[in-house]
Amino acid sequence: MMKISTLNKNLDDYNIPLAIIGILENPKDDPIVYDEQSNLWKIIRETVELGDFTGKKGDLSVIYSKEPNGPKRIMLVGLGKPEKITLESIRKALGNASRKARDLDVKKVGLSVNHFTRGDFSITELSETLVQGIILGSYQDIEYRTKNLEKYKFIEELILFSPDYSDDEMKSGAKSGKIISEAVNLCRKLAWGPANYITPTRLAKEAKKLEEFGVKTTIIDRKEAEEIGLGSYLSVAQGTEEPPKFIIMDYGSEKQGAETVALIGKAITFDSGGITIKPGQNMEKMKADMTGGAVVIGAMNAIAKLGLDLHVIAIVPATDNMPSGKAYHPGDVITSYSGQTIEVISTDAEGRMILADALTYAAKHYQPKAMFDFATLTGAMMIALGEHAIGYFSNHDFVVDKLEEASKTSGEGIWRMPLWEVYDQQLKSDVADMKHTGGRPGGSITAARFLSKFTLDVPWAHLDIAGAMEQSSDKDYNPQGSKGPGVRLIIDVLRNWKA
Ligand code: BES
Ligand code: MN
Ligand code: ZN
C-alpha cells in the first residue's frame, strides 16, 4: 500500500527523487510557467522553449536537475487545453504518469498540487483525483509470479505539495482518494485472480475481513441455502464440488434513521457454461465472472472506511458454474426463492439465476430504499456498448438520477438501456412461469427484464459490466486487466446519497 501524505510547502526546493508537474498545452503562453522564479522552473522553461514538451494531453517528459535542494527528476505532464480540463482528464494524465514513474524505479514521488488547479473544482476534489490517478494507474498484481520479481517496481510513497492551499483540504482529499483507489484495487485483484484461488470460500473470507471496519457478515452455505429455499441460486451451485457461499455484508445497521441501500454482485467464480458448455477459446476469462461480487466487496470496504452515514446491505451469491453429473440441465424447472418457477434454457445463463434469489432476498429481508446489482451478465452488452460504458437498466427515475450524477463526479461512463415490458414476450414459457433467456435479440434487455421479476418492486438498477470489466492494454489509469468497473461510481452514489 502506498503511503500518502501532504506538505504545506513548495515542491521546488524539496529534495525528492521525482516531482510531477502539470502543464497546459502551449506552455509558452502559460503565465504560470513564467511566474515561477526558482531554478527548477528555469529548467522547465528551457525545455518548453526547445519545444520538446508541448503540454498536449498524453504528453510526458522527464527532465533532470542538478539542484542539491530540489527534485532530482521532474516529470512534466501535459494537461491539454485549459477549457477541456476535468477531474477525469487529470486522473487519466496522472494514471499514465504513474506507470512511467513506477518504471523509473522511484520510490517516492512528489506532486505539485498548485500546478494542477486549472479547472472548476475544489482542492479536496483535486487532491482526491491526483491520488487516484497515481494509485490506480500504477497498480500491478505479482502475487502469482515467482520469477524475476525484481523487475516489478512499486511506488512506495506519494506526497502532495502546496504552499498555498489548506493542508486540511489536501489531507481530506488524499484520504478519500486512497480509500477509494484501494477499494478499486481490491476489486481488481479479486476479479482478475485465478478461479483456483478466488473461490466462493475466498470471497467469504474477504467479506469477513471487513469485520475489522465494523461490517457484519453472514455466510449462508449450501445446506442452509437448501433449508431456506434459495432454489434458483442452488440450481447453478448443484453442479460443482466447490462449496458455494451466499455472502451477506451489513454496514451501519446501528445508525439511527439511516436509509437502507442494497448492493448485489454476481460472483460466478468460474463460468464454464455448465452443461451448455462454452467454447474453449477465451474461456480462461471466465475466472472474472465474479467481478460484480468483487465490485460489491471493494465498495463495502470503502463505505466502511469512509464511515458513510447509511445502512448498506451487500449480497454476493458466489458459486462456480460447472458441468457434472449433478449439474442442472436445460429444460429443468426451478423454483426460485420468490416462489416463481423458471424454465432453464441455457445453463450458461447462470448469472441471472443466482441474482434472482439475491435480489428477492435483499428486498424481502431488508426493504431497502434502493437496490443496485453489478453483473458480468451478457456478452450482448459487450456487443452493444463495447468496453467504454456500463449499460444499466432501471425501474425508477430517482435511482437513475443518482447514477447519472455519480457518473459525472466519478468519470465512469454509464448508459441507460430500455427495460420495456414488451420484451417479456421473449420470456414466455410453455411449462413454467417464465423462461430465463429470450434468444439473441436484445439479449441484455431480456436478461434485465428477467431480473426485474425478482425485485419485489423495490427501486432498482441493474448494471451490466460485461463490456466494461476488462482493459486489454495499459490505458490512462487502467492497467491491463480488471478495471474494477463501477466501484468509484457506486461509492459516489452512496456518499452523495442525501445531497
Ligand atoms: N458470464 C457470461 C457473460 C459474459 C460473456 C461476460 C463474456 C463477459 C464476457 C454469462 O454468464 C453468459 O454466459 N451469458 C450468455 C447468456 C446467454 C446464454 C443467454 C451470453 O451472453 O452468451
Ligand atoms: Mn454464463
Ligand atoms: Zn456468467
Side-chain angles (χ1 to χ4, degrees):
M1 302 245 141
M2 209 181 287
K3 184 176 172 229
I4 316 278
S5 57
T6 64
L7 269 179
N8 254 154
K9 276 191 179 153
N10 199 327
L11 176 56
D12 298 10
D13 33 53
Y14 195 86
N15 186 338
I16 194 164
L18 174 71
I20 301 184
I21 289 174
I23 295 207
L24 295 177
E25 191 165 330
N26 299 322
K28 286 182 209 168
D29 306 333
D30 185 354
I32 290 188
V33 173
Y34 287 86
D35 280 356
E36 305 279 1
Q37 290 314 317
S38 65
N39 283 327
L40 177 123
W41 282 87
K42 266 188 216 141
I43 309 172
I44 294 175
R45 278 195 288 278
E46 281 165 19
T47 311
V48 160
E49 276 158 17
L50 280 172
D52 292 13
F53 179 78
T54 64
K56 286 205 169 95
K57 233 160 73 182
D59 203 4
L60 270 185
S61 279
V62 179
I63 57 182
Y64 298 87
S65 157
K66 296 209 176 63
E67 278 302 306
N69 299 319
K72 295 285 156 273
R73 304 175 186 79
I74 303 138
M75 186 181 290
L76 304 179
V77 178
L79 297 178
K81 296 201 171 72
E83 66 277 13
K84 292 221 171 132
I85 293 185
T86 59
L87 289 169
E88 175 71 357
S89 76
I90 293 177
R91 193 183 290 112
K92 285 179 175 173
L94 278 165
N96 289 314
S98 73
R99 281 187 298 281
K100 177 93 181 161
R102 179 192 74 195
D103 297 338
L104 286 171
D105 200 15
V106 293
K107 299 292 177 217
K108 197 170 173 179
V109 172
L111 263 172
S112 176
V113 174
N114 285 45
H115 298 103
F116 289 94
T117 52
R118 310 302 181 85
D120 183 19
F121 32 74
S122 71
I123 293 303
T124 305
E125 288 171 312
L126 175 63
S127 302
E128 178 179 292
T129 300
L130 296 171
V131 169
Q132 285 183 355
I134 299 288
I135 300 184
L136 293 175
S138 61
Y139 170 78
Q140 60 189 339
D141 185 5
I142 59 167
E143 182 178 337
Y144 306 102
R145 298 183 190 274
T146 66
K147 289 193 161 52
N148 304 323
L149 296 184
E150 67 289 348
K151 214 171 72 185
Y152 301 94
K153 322 286 188 201
F154 292 88
I155 301 170
E156 287 166 5
E157 187 174 354
L158 173 67
I159 309 178
L160 302 186
F161 286 84
S162 170
D164 301 334
Y165 298 106
S166 136
D167 197 42
D168 286 347
E169 284 179 55
M170 287 200 292
K171 275 206 167 62
S172 130
K175 183 172 172 217
S176 55
K178 179 171 155 75
I179 290 173
I180 293 168
S181 311
E182 283 171 359
V184 174
N185 286 351
L186 169 62
C187 171
R188 288 166 163 179
K189 182 170 174 62
L190 295 173
W192 226 238
N196 59 330
Y197 286 80
I198 311 298
T199 58
T201 304
R202 168 69 185 273
L203 291 179
K205 224 162 130 188
E206 294 293 329
K208 280 230 180 288
K209 281 190 196 163
L210 303 179
E211 288 179 353
E212 185 190 336
F213 308 109
V215 175
K216 298 185 198 82
T217 53
T218 309
I219 313 293
I220 298 179
D221 60 15
R222 193 192 296 271
K223 189 163 152 284
E224 198 187 337
E226 280 163 4
E227 284 160 15
I228 65 174
L230 296 173
S232 184
Y233 164 67
L234 285 168
S235 68
V236 178
Q238 76 189 42
T240 179
E241 304 273 337
E242 188 66 50
K245 304 284 172 188
F246 191 89
I247 303 164
I248 304 168
M249 290 159 271
D250 187 332
Y251 164 81
S253 57
E254 75 289 350
K255 293 192 193 291
Q256 296 293 324
E259 291 190 353
T260 303
V261 179
L263 310 181
I264 290 112
K266 169 180 171 181
I268 294 295
T269 42
F270 187 76
D271 183 10
S272 69
I275 296 301
T276 319
I277 199 162
K278 288 181 180 294
Q281 191 156 35
N282 291 328
M283 204 205 264
E284 74 283 359
K285 294 258 162 87
M286 287 299 112
K287 69 179 182 180
D289 207 24
M290 34 56 70
T291 299
V295 167
V296 165
I297 292 172
M300 285 305 267
N301 179 296
I303 290 158
K305 287 191 195 161
L306 291 168
L308 298 190
D309 189 22
L310 269 181
H311 178 211
V312 187
I313 294 294
I315 302 191
V316 176
T319 177
D320 266 2
N321 180 27
M322 298 294 280
S324 82
K326 289 194 209 150
Y328 75 144
H329 326 88
D332 282 0
V333 174
I334 305 295
T335 302
S336 66
Y337 189 57
S338 72
Q340 300 173 94
T341 58
I342 303 163
E343 181 190 2
V344 173
I345 301 300
S346 163
T347 62
D348 197 11
E350 82 299 334
R352 61 198 78 182
M353 297 296 283
I354 69 168
L355 288 172
D357 279 356
L359 287 165
T360 307
Y361 190 97
K364 180 175 166 195
H365 294 282
Y366 299 97
Q367 293 97 34
K369 279 264 160 5
M371 303 196 283
F372 298 86
D373 80 71
F374 295 83
T376 48
L377 203 64
T378 63
M381 186 52 79
M382 195 147 50
I383 302 301
L385 297 182
E387 64 181 46
H388 302 296
I390 296 172
Y392 78 97
F393 303 80
S394 181
N395 60 2
H396 213 294
D397 284 347
F398 116 88
V399 179
V400 171
D401 291 345
K402 297 278 184 213
L403 285 170
E404 292 294 336
E405 187 57 39
S407 173
K408 282 195 208 109
T409 56
S410 67
E412 288 204 79
I414 61 173
W415 196 255
R416 189 176 185 180
M417 303 279 292
L419 187 66
W420 302 333
E421 202 182 330
V422 303
Y423 288 91
D424 284 357
Q425 290 165 10
Q426 287 167 248
L427 297 176
K428 281 209 179 103
S429 166
D430 296 335
V431 297
D433 294 343
M434 69 193 97
K435 296 196 292 189
H436 75 151
T437 64
R440 278 165 60 81
S444 305
I445 307 172
T446 49
R449 279 304 302 178
F450 174 83
L451 294 179
S452 73
K453 311 288 175 206
F454 299 90
T455 57
L456 309 183
D457 290 328
V458 171
W460 153 80
H462 155 58
L463 293 94
D464 192 331
I465 53 175
M469 74 178 193
E470 178 188 3
Q471 183 66 50
S472 49
S473 58
D474 293 354
K475 186 165 188 286
D476 303 330
Y477 53 82
N478 282 312
Q480 189 272 326
S482 171
K483 290 204 272 201
V487 176
R488 288 182 301 115
L489 177 83
I490 195 65
I491 292 171
D492 276 7
V493 166
L494 296 175
R495 63 178 171 161
N496 298 327
W497 191 253
K498 286 191 197 136

